[in-house]
Amino acid sequence: MRTFDHLAPDRLQELLERFARARIAVVGDYFLDKYLDIDPSLAEPSLETGKVAHQVTGIRHSPGAAGTVVSNLAALGAGRLHAVGFTGDDGESYDMRRGLAALTCSTDHLHCDPGRMTPTYLKPRDQTDPSLAGEHSRYDTKNRTPTAPALEQRIVDSLDALLGRLDAVIVADQVEEEGCGVVTARVREAVADRAGRHPQVVFWADSRRRIRRFRGVIIKPNQFEAVGQENPPPDATVPFDALAPAIERLRAETGAPVCVTRGEGGMVVSDPEPTVVPGVRVDGPIDPTGAGDSVTAAAVLALASGAAMPEAALLGNLVASITIQQLATTGTARPDQLPERLEMWLDQRSGEA
């Protein structure tokens, strides 16, 4: 397995300059990230129950899950963005659509269905503690009944309506409950079919539970998913001698390139040959929330701009090294931050030579 250890700064700049021409649809589960900022010094007992009544001093919300991918694409300067999925007919839908509009992402194909709830992650947190320790227990709103066939068809029809004017399609399968989100078996089959019919379009999929079910599209499993290992212990890694044959099998099974994430170890890509793409080492506290989505955004933008798989994986690593340093929020990165990160990465590579 070879190691990709160099990218010329001029090549990075060439790719970055093409980002503004990329047209991308993000098909998937749009969750609203809703933050409640709590001042612990204002806590008071409830007169009725005696329990602590936490006092909210601010409310923030932003598009999450598939929306996090959109946020990262927008921050990186993607040219045209389309959201494909559904929301409920509720206040969270209003906040979601307003957030996507602020990212200049079209919501013409984000279908409003009164029979569904807008998936929401409600995140109370102490405003005085930006670390992970400042987060309270989270409250999730999710749909737990199957997505109706009529709504599935509307999603497939939206994909068909957009495909003639896209450079890439990202599938973001966030909902863990089988068949209850946007990326149902029917939608997954349609994506595989359209990927075969549109070889000029980059198709990329990420999934919390079902990454191995995709066919004909680039997939992004983590190292444990690649070898079929569930519930790995903390700080575990998969050795390369186990990972390499697993990637080869997965590549043959899915019929498309594979990009395996390894946390701080970077990535391994299957094409054009099995290649290790080291990550960027960073110091200080980190928050990995949304790091995988930032990898997806950067890598797909790079591929849509003409990058080879190892180059695209490196751009994903560079962006993730920036987003994980943004605490208590789902971070993004700007194109003008990447040359400095590339220089850091190159210095680290030369130090290990």
Side-chain angles (χ1 to χ4, degrees):
M1 193 180 296
R2 68 183 286 263
T3 297
F4 183 74
D5 58 7
H6 184 78
L7 181 73
D10 288 350
R11 176 58 173 165
L12 172 63
Q13 194 59 42
E14 178 186 354
L15 293 171
L16 294 178
E17 289 173 356
R18 296 176 184 171
F19 281 10
R21 300 199 294 267
R23 304 162 299 173
I24 301 176
V26 181
V27 181
D29 300 304
Y30 285 82
F31 277 65
L32 184 70
D33 283 337
K34 188 170 184 178
Y35 295 89
L36 303 182
D37 294 325
I38 295 169
D39 186 341
S41 70
L42 299 178
E44 57 188 43
S46 166
L47 296 179
E48 293 80 11
T49 67
K51 295 183 178 181
V52 176
H54 298 285
Q55 301 301 301
V56 177
T57 59
I59 300 175
R60 300 174 287 124
H61 36 67
S62 61
T68 303
V69 178
V70 170
S71 295
N72 279 274
L73 289 168
L76 289 167
R80 184 65 173 149
L81 299 173
H82 301 270
V84 181
F86 64 73
T87 67
D89 186 10
D90 46 31
E92 287 75 19
S93 174
Y94 171 82
D95 291 334
M96 174 72 75
R97 292 168 191 276
R98 186 172 64 170
L100 290 170
L103 299 169
T104 64
C105 176
S106 170
T107 57
D108 292 348
H109 296 279
L110 188 62
H111 303 289
C112 182
D113 189 324
R116 310 301 277 173
M117 297 184 292
T118 301
T120 302
Y121 290 141
L122 183 62
K123 303 178 180 182
R125 61 169 305 107
D126 291 345
Q127 64 185 46
T128 56
D129 186 352
S131 71
L132 293 177
E135 292 189 2
H136 293 213
S137 296
R138 197 178 75 191
Y139 295 84
D140 293 351
T141 301
K142 294 191 285 186
N143 295 290
R144 302 177 189 276
T145 57
T147 302
L151 185 52
E152 291 179 302
Q153 188 59 50
R154 292 175 75 186
I155 293 164
V156 173
D157 289 344
S158 287
L159 178 60
D160 288 337
L162 290 169
L163 265 173
R165 44 198 169 103
L166 294 176
D167 300 298
V169 173
I170 296 172
V171 181
D173 181 19
Q174 178 82 2
V175 171
E176 298 187 23
E177 291 75 13
E178 181 76 34
C180 297
V182 170
V183 190
T184 62
R186 181 179 179 185
V187 171
R188 206 163 44 241
E189 290 169 3
V191 167
D193 175 78
R194 275 41 169 202
R197 292 196 215 171
H198 298 268
Q200 78 282 4
V201 177
V202 176
F203 279 79
W204 174 289
D206 194 6
S207 176
R208 281 221 161 171
R209 291 290 183 186
R210 293 170 286 273
I211 193 66
R212 302 178 78 96
R213 298 190 193 179
F214 287 90
R215 295 292 181 269
V217 305
I218 301 168
I219 60 170
K220 184 182 74 67
N222 63 41
Q223 59 187 324
F224 307 108
E225 292 167 333
V227 298
Q229 181 180 348
E230 297 184 2
N231 303 315
D235 301 323
T237 59
V238 177
F240 285 125
D241 59 356
L243 192 57
I247 291 174
E248 185 177 347
R249 289 192 300 269
L250 197 53
R251 176 67 171 85
E253 183 180 332
T254 62
V258 178
C259 182
V260 177
T261 59
R262 302 178 58 248
E264 65 182 17
M267 286 185 255
V268 179
V269 297
S270 64
D271 291 47
E273 61 181 293
T275 303
V276 178
V277 184
V280 184
R281 295 192 305 275
V282 296
D283 298 322
I286 64 170
D287 182 350
T289 304
D293 294 323
S294 66
V295 165
T296 286
V300 171
L301 263 176
L303 290 170
S305 300
M309 280 291 294
E311 294 176 322
L314 175 57
L315 265 68
N317 287 341
L318 298 179
V319 166
S321 76
I322 295 168
T323 62
I324 63 175
Q325 292 186 303
Q326 299 167 45
L327 307 182
T329 187
T330 302
T332 59
R334 304 183 312 274
D336 61 6
Q337 294 175 290
L338 299 190
E340 182 180 351
R341 285 300 157 119
L342 175 61
E343 183 178 354
M344 180 188 302
W345 182 80
L346 290 171
D347 288 344
Q348 291 172 2
R349 302 282 67 76
S350 62
E352 294 176 356

